[in-house]
Structure formats: C-alpha cells, structure tokens
Amino acid sequence: MKSDKIKIGVIGVGHLGQHHAKHYNLIKNITLVGVYDTDPNRSKDIAIQYDTKSYDDISELMKICDGISVVTPTKSHYNVAKMAIEEFDCHVFIEKPITETIKQANRLIQLSKIKNKIIQVGHIERLNPALRVLEKYNLNPKFIEIQRLAPYTIRGTDVPVVLDLMIHDIDILLSLVKSDVKSIHASGVSIITDSIDIANARIRFNNGTVSNITSSRVSRDKVRKIKIFQENLYTTVDLLMEQTEIYSITKDPSIIPNVLQTKPFTYNNNKKFIAYQKPNLKKNDLLGLELKNFVDSIKGKDNPIVNGVDARNALDVVIKINNMILEDLN
Ligand code: NAD
C-alpha cells in the first residue's frame, strides 16, 4: 500500500463513473484521492460533489493510488488499465466488458499476475440477491432461458447489444454451468443503430446443458429474467425486481424450509408435490457492494466476485456470438 489508508481514484466520471466516486466517498477506511476525466469540466464538477480532487494529468493521480476504477468507454479500458497496473502498480476495477479484444484481456491478466495486482470487472448482476439466493440450492441446470430487454437509449450503442447487454447474462450463465461451451448458434438484427440491436444465442455445454438467451435494446419495458430448469427444480429469477421463485418437486414437502404452497400430482403412480418458495430478499445497493468487494480484495480480506479470467471468458463467448451473427447476416 502507498500509505496506511487505501487510496482510490476514479478514471472516467461520466454516467456510471460518478456513482463510483459517490460510493468510494462513503466507504469507511479508504480515501477517494481523486478523479480524472478527459472532459476537465466534468472531472471538476464530480470532484466538488464528492469532496475530492480533480486531476488534469492521469499519471499524477495513478501515482498516488493503490486502486483505480476504470469507468471510461470500452475502447479505452485496455490502455487505462494497462497503464495503471504496469506503470503505477495499481489494482484495477474495470467496468464491463473488460476490454475490446481477447488479446487485450489476456495481456491484462498476464500483467496482473506479474505485478501481483487484482483485476475485478463490473459484472454487477453477480451480486444480485435474486441470483445469490440460489447458492443455497444444489444447481445442476439442464435448460436455462435468459431474457434481457431494454428501451433504446444512446448510451451503450457504441458497441453491439451483445457486448453491451448480453455480456451480463453470458457471465451469469458461465457462473451457473460448470462445463465448457460445446456449440453456439446465434442470430441478430439491426433495428435502430448500424450494429446489432436484438440478438439471440443458443449455447450448448459439454455436460448437456442448453441455454437460450435473448437481448434487445428495442423494447418498451425493461425485462431481466432467468428461468432455470433441472431435475426436480424450476426457478424464475427476476433480476430487475430482485425476486426469486423456486418450485421443487418432492415426495415430502415438509423437508423443504419456508414452503408457501404445495400442489400434489401423480406420475407413474407415484404421488409427489410441487413445493413453492419465494425467499424474502434484502435489497442492496449492488454497486456499493461491488466496490466494497474490490476494496476488501485489495486489503486481502476477500476475492473479487468477478475476476479478469471470468470476464475474459464471458468476452470470449460474446465475441463468438457477435461474429456468428455478422456471418449469418452476410
Ligand atoms: P459515459 O460516456 O457516460 O462516461 C464515460 C466518461 O469517460 C466520460 O465522462 C468521458 O469524458 C470519459 N472518458 C472518455 N475517455 C476517457 C479516457 N481515456 N480517460 C478518462 N476519461 C475518459 O459512459 P458510461 O455509461 O459511464 O460507461 C462507462 C463504462 O461503464 C463503459 O465501459 C460501459 O460499458 C460500462 N457500463 C457498465 C454498466 C454495468 O451495468 N456494469 C452500466 C453502464 C455502463
């Protein structure tokens, strides 16, 4: 550490970066030492708002930091993160997607190992309580259906919908299925922008799990839903509402805790029950939790919930999906 208290800086304080500054300002026993943005007026405004210093020179800020958040547009993630790790020995939190290319992600991972620095990546949904509650269940999915729909906004349209939205769900999918990807089929269309606005991917894993994922940035309403089916269990996860419903098939519902409803049925002359649970979930500020996880990981008290390798693996699948969609259109 460069001093007793962990020193954090935020690079890029636009729409999301301002919230990084806000949260770091609230985390105890660390110091938000400064912010830097290529737009100096924005940098000054955010520095005043969160009681920190605005830097005109990125090196001057990195020099005094133990960790930095990289919240710039995706095309600059690699250069900013590389500079922070290689030249200034900083731990880095990089917003998703980690980089534009797999080669860049691999280089950052390699540098972080050489320099013994943490890379954490902002796949924030992994902290969603609606997903985390499933850690208590013995998940072994056979089929996973994921839908993420969002109304159109200009933000995020610098990249295809697969890299902007679907990457969240690919990361979740890879965390749920402990097996390698066997095959991918994908298709997509442009509706508003010059790149892909609606995409669908069917992914099969070596262990037989099948998934079907749809992402769209042309929707009236926001939808972020996951349905997981496995032997004797079906669950629906609403990431937006932070609610999870679990239906278990059992001979004896009394062994399942907090069952709200049971429904009997008979199959092959065996009487069974569908037991319904809807756990009470505490809503949390996910970004606050994510940045606390980064700080605790720097302190050696925790590990990043999504590290550079996880993020690289999600990017790898997403790039394959995107290439497949483009080939399909030609
Ligand atoms: P934004 O355009 O609102 O903000 C980006 C800021 O970075 C701007 O203020 C810009 O002036 C500044 N900037 C540009 N290049 C820079 C550089 N080289 N050095 C320093 N500052 C620079 O974008 P945003 O919506 O805040 O998105 C930022 C990143 O966060 C993107 O990678 C995006 O994919 C990611 N993001 C993640 C989530 C999530 O759910 N985890 C949500 C939204 C955005």
Side-chain angles (χ1 to χ4, degrees):
M1 263 199 291
K2 292 174 187 169
S3 73
D4 296 347
K5 256 188 177 183
I6 286 181
K7 293 183 172 181
I8 301 282
V10 180
I11 312 291
V13 281
H15 175 78
L16 188 54
Q18 65 183 322
H19 296 292
H20 279 239
K22 178 179 81 186
H23 281 287
Y24 284 131
N25 190 36
L26 294 173
I27 296 176
K28 288 193 182 110
N29 297 323
I30 67 159
T31 312
L32 172 64
V33 285
V35 296
Y36 168 82
D37 196 293
T38 43
D39 174 351
N41 291 331
R42 178 75 187 171
S43 187
K44 280 180 196 134
D45 283 352
I46 297 300
I48 290 168
Q49 224 170 316
Y50 298 112
D51 197 19
T52 190
K53 190 175 164 187
S54 169
Y55 280 78
D56 298 331
D57 180 344
I58 194 169
S59 308
E60 290 301 311
L61 174 57
M62 286 186 181
K63 203 157 69 185
I64 57 161
C65 286
D66 298 298
I68 61 149
S69 271
V70 182
V71 205
T72 61
T74 305
K75 63 177 187 303
S76 53
H77 286 183
Y78 175 68
N79 284 337
V80 175
K82 180 171 176 284
M83 184 179 181
I85 302 171
E86 195 175 36
E87 293 178 41
F88 295 100
D89 278 312
C90 291
H91 301 282
V92 291
F93 180 103
I94 310 172
E95 268 306 338
K96 54 70 22 191
I98 178 170
T99 50
E100 280 186 303
T101 69
I102 294 301
K103 195 173 163 194
Q104 291 172 340
N106 281 336
R107 179 68 185 134
L108 290 185
I109 292 166
Q110 187 190 34
L111 274 175
S112 74
K113 282 188 188 148
I114 294 168
K115 292 280 192 172
N116 197 20
K117 296 293 154 203
I118 289 161
I119 297 181
Q120 182 166 342
V121 182
H123 288 283
I124 195 164
E125 296 283 30
R126 284 256 227 125
L127 289 132
N128 197 310
L131 197 61
R132 296 210 84 169
V133 71
L134 296 176
E135 287 167 12
K136 289 187 220 149
Y137 293 79
N138 192 12
L139 283 194
N140 188 12
K142 284 190 170 178
F143 185 78
I144 302 177
E145 172 94 38
I146 309 183
Q147 239 193 357
R148 183 176 294 257
L149 315 178
Y152 174 78
T153 65
I154 189 74
R155 286 189 323 102
T157 53
D158 53 329
V159 290
V161 71
V162 177
L163 266 127
D164 185 30
L165 301 185
M166 193 184 276
I167 194 159
H168 282 291
D169 300 317
I170 296 295
D171 171 63
I172 292 172
L173 183 68
L174 297 185
S175 75
L176 290 171
V177 184
K178 307 290 177 221
S179 179
D180 290 335
V181 170
K182 184 177 177 187
S183 64
I184 300 173
H185 294 279
S187 40
V189 289
S190 303
I191 302 290
I192 296 180
T193 73
D194 292 337
S195 70
I196 301 299
D197 296 315
I198 301 177
N200 174 264
R202 283 140 346 260
I203 302 174
R204 184 176 282 274
F205 290 83
N206 279 337
N207 67 356
T209 307
V210 176
S211 69
N212 185 38
I213 304 188
T214 304
S215 309
S216 167
R217 56 187 172 205
V218 189
S219 171
R220 195 192 70 169
D221 301 314
K222 275 189 183 178
V223 176
R224 293 181 194 163
K225 284 193 176 158
I226 305 176
K227 293 176 183 168
I228 301 170
F229 303 83
Q230 67 181 49
E231 206 172 335
N232 292 330
L233 192 132
Y234 158 52
T235 172
T236 61
V237 177
D238 189 328
L239 294 168
L240 208 58
M241 304 307 291
E242 299 188 5
Q243 284 176 356
T244 300
E245 294 176 293
I246 300 147
Y247 302 83
S248 306
I249 295 174
T250 176
K251 279 185 184 167
D252 180 6
S254 70
I255 59 167
I256 299 178
N258 305 319
V259 169
L260 296 174
Q261 268 174 26
T262 57
K263 191 175 172 188
F265 71 100
T266 307
Y267 179 69
N268 278 347
N269 293 323
N270 286 319
K271 186 171 179 190
K272 290 189 182 176
F273 295 85
I274 299 171
Y276 170 70
Q277 295 165 285
K278 189 174 179 190
N280 279 326
L281 300 177
K282 192 171 155 243
K283 284 201 195 289
N284 273 307
D285 188 319
L286 302 189
L287 184 60
L289 286 181
E290 199 181 28
L291 298 180
K292 174 89 170 39
N293 177 222
F294 178 52
V295 168
D296 285 346
S297 301
I298 296 176
K299 288 180 182 166
K301 289 184 181 170
D302 206 347
N303 292 310
I305 186 138
V306 179
N307 62 30
V309 173
D310 298 329
R312 188 269 321 272
N313 293 346
L315 181 67
D316 185 36
V317 173
V318 155
I319 287 176
K320 284 178 180 142
I321 291 171
N322 199 47
N323 289 344
M324 199 165 281
I325 294 173
L326 296 178
E327 274 167 32
D328 190 46
L329 287 176
N330 287 323

